[in-house]
Amino acid sequence: MPSSKKKTRSGTAAKSEKIDLASSAARNASSSRVTAIIGFVLAWTFAYNLLIKRQGIARAFFQILDTISDDFVMGSLVAIFLGLAIVVVFSVTKLYGQINANIYSFAILENLLYDDLRSGNAYAFVSKLLHFRDQAAPKNVCPRRVGGILFGMGFIYAMSWIYVIVFSEALFFLSWSSGVNLPITKENMLLMPTLALSIPFSARVMAYLRYPYAQDYADFMPAAVFGLLMVTALGYLFESGDQKFFLKTIYDDKLFLESFLRNGLFLAFIPVFFEACYWLLDSLRAEKKAA
């Protein structure tokens, strides 16, 4: 018995020693990586001061921290802000594309709102939104609650308005950049937003028909919105005199603006109307099955 206890103790001590050696090696490796990273940044900054700022060796060395804080950190804030803005725009448009191409999307949203967000589990709500495509399809297409129905219709109307505005500008810019000069007249105030609305609405129609590639079609919209925002931002930043903007033109003309808003109010309701009809048919079909 004593010999077996000694063997057990010696085995435990050997395992403990191996663990200590492994952890020590991991710490040394981590320390080496940290040293290499810091050394690379300092060396690059020193070379930047010498070659780009044309400072002397002593001044370049003592100005390393100032260069990092003033040039690199402060200079990167704009890039970080633009990067975050791109991520937000892409995430929102990508989510809308997934919602638009999924026939059960508003029933799923209702479950997320009532089961997760209303119960205070905001993290689970956001996580499921980011993985919206992976959510299980409920039994019915139509939301079960009156609040869910009203939310769905309001969401569709608001997003329809957004895409009427965004894609009107996108189509106008696409035509202008291709050398096609589209005259802006009162008659075109209905045609342009109609074409703009048809792009996202066609994805929803594909969902109604259970078209297998509806999501593939909807996935191009984030890229279109991103491209439009980038071109618009570049035009404003560089003060391009050649670039023409559809929305700015109609905003400067009271008659054009009034006509555009009136037509937009009507057009944005079309997807709401078709969604309501589809939900009504689905509810009647569910009642027949239950009977």
Side-chain angles (χ1 to χ4, degrees):
M1 292 294 290
S3 60
S4 63
K5 288 183 178 179
K6 288 182 180 180
K7 289 181 180 179
T8 303
R9 290 175 182 173
S10 62
T12 304
K15 288 182 180 179
S16 177
E17 185 177 355
K18 288 181 180 179
I19 293 173
D20 292 339
L21 290 174
S23 61
S24 177
R27 285 194 298 269
N28 291 334
S30 177
S31 178
S32 299
R33 289 193 295 268
V34 171
T35 303
I37 293 171
I38 294 176
F40 175 80
V41 172
L42 294 178
W44 198 96
T45 307
F46 179 69
Y48 176 83
N49 288 342
L50 285 175
L51 301 175
I52 305 301
K53 290 189 171 182
R54 299 185 181 278
Q55 297 175 349
I57 295 177
R59 182 176 175 80
F61 177 78
F62 288 108
Q63 289 290 321
I64 287 177
L65 294 180
D66 291 337
T67 300
I68 291 175
S69 61
D70 296 341
D71 295 6
F72 299 159
V73 176
M74 298 303 296
S76 64
L77 290 180
V78 176
I80 293 173
F81 174 77
L82 291 176
L84 291 175
I86 290 171
V87 170
V88 170
V89 171
F90 178 82
S91 300
V92 171
T93 52
K94 183 69 174 180
L95 174 61
Y96 178 71
Q98 294 180 5
I99 292 174
N100 208 23
N102 188 343
I103 197 62
Y104 298 97
S105 56
F106 291 101
I108 295 173
L109 279 176
E110 180 191 39
N111 293 336
L112 297 183
L113 288 171
Y114 279 87
D115 297 342
D116 295 318
L117 188 62
R118 194 177 180 183
S119 62
N121 196 351
Y123 178 80
F125 175 75
V126 174
S127 178
K128 290 178 181 179
L129 278 182
L130 293 176
H131 300 86
F132 191 82
R133 190 184 298 185
D134 300 330
Q135 303 306 310
K139 293 181 179 180
N140 297 325
V141 172
C142 180
R144 295 172 297 164
R145 304 172 180 87
V146 175
I149 293 175
L150 295 178
F151 169 80
M153 291 183 174
F155 181 87
I156 295 171
Y157 189 76
M159 292 305 298
S160 297
W161 251 116
I162 291 174
Y163 274 96
V164 162
I165 294 172
V166 170
F167 279 115
S168 291
E169 186 68 73
L171 291 173
F172 184 82
F173 171 78
L174 181 63
S175 300
W176 171 80
S177 61
S178 302
V180 179
N181 186 18
L182 295 180
I184 300 178
T185 62
K186 189 175 180 180
E187 290 74 18
N188 291 342
M189 289 300 102
L190 177 61
L191 180 59
M192 184 65 75
T194 301
L195 294 174
L197 182 63
S198 66
I199 297 174
F201 183 56
S202 57
R204 194 60 181 171
V205 173
M206 292 179 187
Y208 294 152
L209 301 175
R210 310 298 174 102
Y211 185 64
Y213 303 110
Q215 186 61 60
D216 295 333
Y217 173 78
D219 283 340
F220 98 94
M221 285 189 285
V225 174
F226 170 74
L228 172 65
L229 292 177
M230 287 298 294
V231 171
T232 303
L234 289 173
Y236 276 115
L237 288 174
F238 288 90
E239 298 180 354
S240 174
D242 296 332
Q243 190 171 356
K244 294 182 180 179
F245 298 98
F246 175 76
L247 296 176
K248 186 177 184 304
T249 303
I250 65 173
Y251 182 78
D252 293 337
D253 191 297
K254 186 177 180 180
L255 292 177
F256 288 165
L257 180 61
E258 182 181 349
S259 178
F260 181 80
L261 293 176
R262 187 186 300 111
N263 293 328
L265 287 171
F266 158 71
L267 291 171
F269 187 74
I270 292 177
V272 179
F273 174 76
F274 276 90
E275 193 74 20
C277 292
Y278 193 85
W279 287 352
L280 182 61
L281 292 175
D282 181 74
S283 299
L284 294 175
R285 192 183 304 116
E287 288 181 4
K288 286 184 178 180
K289 286 184 179 180

